[in-house]
Amino acid sequence: MSRFPESFMNRFHALLAVAALSSVAMPAQAQEAPISFVAIGDTGYIPAYETLDEDEEPFATLGEYLGAHAEGWLDHHPDLSDFTPTPWTFESTLGGFTSASGMYPVARAAAEVCASQGCDFGAMLGDNIYPDGATLGADGISDARRFSDMLDKPYGRFGAGTENFTIYTMMGNHDWHISREATEAQLTYLQQHPNFTMPDLFYKAVPVGMEGEVEIFVVDTEMLLASTTVYKDELDAEGNEIQTGELESWDDYVKPASPAEKNMVSWLEQSLAQSNARWKVVFGHHALWSSGGSKYEKARSLRKLLLPAICKYADAYISGDDHLMEAYSDDCSTVADAADGPVPMFVAGAGSKYRQQDVAFAAQQKANNPQMTNLFSKGSTWGFLHVTLQDDLLNAAIYSTPGDMSGRPIKEFEQSFANRSK
């Protein structure tokens, strides 16, 4: 007979069972806390701010609008079997039908993912204000109204409730349309707004509390393109590149003006090399690979400038500009002394506008560039990117949100990539 009461023995055996279950459930080594962020590009499209060129007529009927979009679809696809027109709205300021904006559906969908998956900070990838950035009132619309409608209202309280949350911001080509003074007016607004961080046109930053873990590096790709040789894009019917020899041009005010601006590429390489962060992520407006078919010459010029630094020292490159949701990897075989492993590259330029993927060009690009792998592409959708950094893995998830304006997040793609900059 036991010398302990039956009630004590029952409790003792129950405790042993709990301990046994706990020992099974406990991992051999606890995982590090994840660091997550959301990246959204080309957010600033509002139809009421658009204007028609002098030779343009508004689409007076929905049929005219859909017909024009079907013709555009056939420029990039063999038939209309998967035709997906951009959601439409009748815009009274234009007098006709035009493309609706995904600004608020994307913002709501991203906020929902951040609430469920976590977001410690955000990144806005340029083209924050359509169609021409700030104008200093030259078009009769105050910049204060633009900043309120395109920056503060959709994203001024994004991430509320998360300590030290901020959105790291940059300029895109549309943000540079009017003048350097107008671009700097947007910069000043972003610097003064409590929910955005943009200390300069290009910069590096360590999110609060993430010292030694994450450092971001923002480059102004429009300024870089204005400083180098860029040819105009042209494709034949099969998606093959046509070499026209014609050059793109930029206004002088976009070109690097200060010694620091002229030294941006060297600054990036030196800053990446000197960083002690485990994760080094480079952001820029323009993609280094994309499949819209009208950006490939800009991408080629930027790869010449940026790939050496990124392949040697960075863990990822994230961009907008092409209004698609895409994931690529570049094996860095074109760069001497590159770090081991491919660099993941993401295009998240569908924050308010659609673009169709050019399927013929995408196939030609894949065939002619063995160093590049196209992991995922989806056009004709709104969307955003969510990234989680944990242990030695970068997990990237691409989300879309449907054209019904519901703001529902739909996961389209997810893949993990190894840290390469340790």
Side-chain angles (χ1 to χ4, degrees), residues 345-364:
M345 299 181 178
F346 306 99
V347 183
S352 66
K353 303 192 80 174
Y354 272 21
R355 176 165 285 136
Q356 301 159 8
Q357 183 192 28
D358 191 313
V359 293
F361 168 74
Q364 296 291 349

Side-chain angles (χ1 to χ4, degrees), residues 204-207 213-217 271 275-277 279-281:
K204 59 182 178 178
V206 176
E213 289 298 317
V214 180
E215 188 165 9
I216 69 166
F217 304 82
S271 297
S275 173
N276 66 354
W279 293 99
K280 306 171 185 64
V281 182

Side-chain angles (χ1 to χ4, degrees), residues 124-135:
M124 189 176 286
L125 304 171
D127 282 1
N128 314 313
I129 297 178
Y130 281 98
D132 297 314
T135 69

Side-chain angles (χ1 to χ4, degrees), residues 100-408:
S101 173
M103 175 189 289
Y104 280 99
V106 170
R108 289 195 296 269
E112 181 176 331
V113 169
C114 284
S116 62
Q117 304 297 319
C119 285
D120 298 292
F121 60 91
M124 189 176 286
L125 304 171
D127 282 1
N128 314 313
I129 297 178
Y130 281 98
D132 297 314
T135 69
L136 303 180
D139 58 349
I141 302 174
S142 74
D143 285 336
R145 176 181 164 188
R146 275 189 177 82
F147 298 155
S148 175
D149 288 348
M150 299 182 189
L151 294 168
D152 181 67
K153 286 181 180 178
Y155 290 102
R157 284 156 291 281
F158 191 93
T162 299
E163 187 177 7
N164 298 315
F165 186 91
T166 191
I167 300 174
Y168 295 101
T169 315
M170 64 207 72
M171 299 298 173
N173 52 299
H174 283 267
D175 300 311
W176 272 103
H177 270 192
I178 298 300
S179 66
R180 182 170 282 246
E181 291 76 18
T183 302
E184 289 174 347
Q186 185 188 162
L187 175 63
T188 298
Y189 174 82
L190 292 166
Q191 289 173 339
Q192 294 173 350
H193 195 290
N195 212 40
F196 299 102
T197 294
M198 189 173 177
D200 211 333
L201 294 171
F202 62 98
Y203 61 94
K204 59 182 178 178
V206 176
V208 175
M210 300 179 194
E211 294 78 5
E213 289 298 317
V214 180
E215 188 165 9
I216 69 166
F217 304 82
V218 173
V219 290
D220 191 310
T221 54
E222 182 72 356
M223 188 184 294
L224 286 175
L225 288 169
S227 71
T228 192
T229 299
V230 183
Y231 291 96
K232 291 186 177 181
D233 303 290
E234 189 172 340
L235 300 174
D236 66 17
E238 286 73 43
N240 296 294
E241 301 174 12
I242 299 174
Q243 304 301 319
T244 66
E246 296 182 59
L247 293 174
E248 296 279 6
S249 62
W250 277 262
D251 291 310
D252 287 342
Y253 66 79
V254 185
K255 297 175 181 178
S258 67
E261 290 176 354
K262 294 175 182 178
N263 197 44
M264 194 190 314
V265 172
S266 296
W267 165 85
L268 176 64
E269 183 157 1
Q270 292 168 8
S271 297
L272 284 166
Q274 294 168 1
S275 173
N276 66 354
R278 176 189 299 196
W279 293 99
K280 306 171 185 64
V281 182
V282 180
F283 293 95
H285 176 62
H286 294 84
L288 300 188
W289 293 105
S290 69
S291 62
S294 63
K295 309 283 185 176
Y296 66 85
E297 288 288 6
K298 293 182 176 69
R300 177 178 285 121
S301 296
L302 285 172
R303 289 198 300 272
K304 291 178 182 178
L305 294 174
L306 297 177
L307 268 187
I310 290 171
C311 283
K312 290 176 185 176
Y313 303 112
D315 294 293
Y317 178 77
I318 300 174
S319 67
D321 189 46
D322 226 352
H323 306 314
L324 308 165
M325 297 306 304
E326 300 192 283
Y328 293 86
S329 66
D330 190 303
D331 68 10
C332 292
S333 59
T334 62
V335 175
D337 301 321
D340 292 337
V343 178
M345 299 181 178
F346 306 99
V347 183
S352 66
K353 303 192 80 174
Y354 272 21
R355 176 165 285 136
Q356 301 159 8
Q357 183 192 28
D358 191 313
V359 293
F361 168 74
Q364 296 291 349
Q365 181 173 247
K366 179 180 179 181
N368 295 327
N369 296 278
Q371 75 275 28
M372 177 273 291
T373 301
N374 184 192
L375 302 168
F376 173 83
S377 288
K378 186 169 184 177
S380 299
T381 189
W382 297 316
F384 60 95
L385 175 73
H386 183 266
V387 174
T388 299
L389 308 173
Q390 188 170 29
D391 297 315
D392 287 327
L393 290 177
L394 180 155
N395 186 75
I398 289 176
Y399 289 85
S400 68
T401 189
D404 60 9
M405 301 293 171
S406 64
R408 292 181 290 114

